[in-house]
Amino acid sequence: MALSPDDYARRDVSSALHAKLHVQLEVDRVKLPPVTPGEAVVEGRIARIFRGDPARLSTPVSFEVACYRKGDMLPPSGIRWRLVKDLEHARYIEIYLDTNAVGVMDAGPGIAVLEALSDTPQFVFSDIEEEDE
């Protein structure tokens, strides 16, 4: 059974609030899939750290982003699809990451493509329960 929009929003908030890292990356390369919809591989270096170990600054990271081109048929799902054209030109990305034995992985709430690095987070989630009060 599919989640409701509110349930997807709660899932994203929970993922963001529990992520080990909240960072902005300088994008080094985006490897697009041969066909879309598909998974692009984003490679970059941590340039700003809002949550997590400051020693990770400049650490190289790599993760997948679900992407599509206009006209693609997207399956119904909770996947946060990004347009290929947005990824092709991305210089900076803000993302929530988790750590594992081999490095980092996307924590789940998606990404924000940024025009420039900032000293304050641009892709922010607050606790939905606090907003409901």
Side-chain angles (χ1 to χ4, degrees), residues 48-83:
R48 297 281 191 277
I49 299 174
F50 304 114
R51 179 187 320 143
D53 184 357
R56 289 188 178 268
L57 193 64
S58 298
T59 299
V61 296
S62 175
F63 54 90
E64 293 181 341
V65 176
C67 63
Y68 72 101
R69 288 185 168 84
K70 285 188 179 179
D72 283 349
M73 296 292 290
L74 299 177
S77 68
I79 295 173
R80 290 159 213 86
W81 297 95
R82 297 299 303 221
L83 279 168

Side-chain angles (χ1 to χ4, degrees), residues 4-102:
S4 71
D6 286 345
D7 289 335
Y8 280 122
R10 282 185 184 80
R11 181 192 67 182
D12 288 350
V13 168
S14 178
S15 296
L17 294 176
H18 291 97
K20 301 273 190 257
L21 298 166
H22 179 190
V23 300
Q24 288 179 357
L25 309 172
E26 186 167 353
V27 176
D28 293 326
R29 183 166 100 161
V30 176
K31 291 189 260 182
L32 297 173
V35 296
T36 58
E39 299 289 327
V41 177
V42 176
E43 298 173 354
R45 288 170 282 111
I46 296 175
R48 297 281 191 277
I49 299 174
F50 304 114
R51 179 187 320 143
D53 184 357
R56 289 188 178 268
L57 193 64
S58 298
T59 299
V61 296
S62 175
F63 54 90
E64 293 181 341
V65 176
C67 63
Y68 72 101
R69 288 185 168 84
K70 285 188 179 179
D72 283 349
M73 296 292 290
L74 299 177
S77 68
I79 295 173
R80 290 159 213 86
W81 297 95
R82 297 299 303 221
L83 279 168
V84 164
K85 71 178 182 100
D86 293 340
L87 293 174
E88 284 178 310
H89 304 292
R91 295 186 57 216
Y92 306 101
I93 287 177
E94 189 166 331
I95 187 169
Y96 292 83
L97 298 169
D98 276 327
T99 57
N100 60 27
V102 294

Side-chain angles (χ1 to χ4, degrees), residues 108-130:
I111 65 168
V113 175
L114 306 174
E115 296 282 326
L117 295 173
S118 65
D119 291 331
T120 57
Q122 305 300 300
F123 187 40
V124 180
F125 290 86
S126 60
D127 192 334
I128 288 178
E129 301 306 322
E130 289 176 11

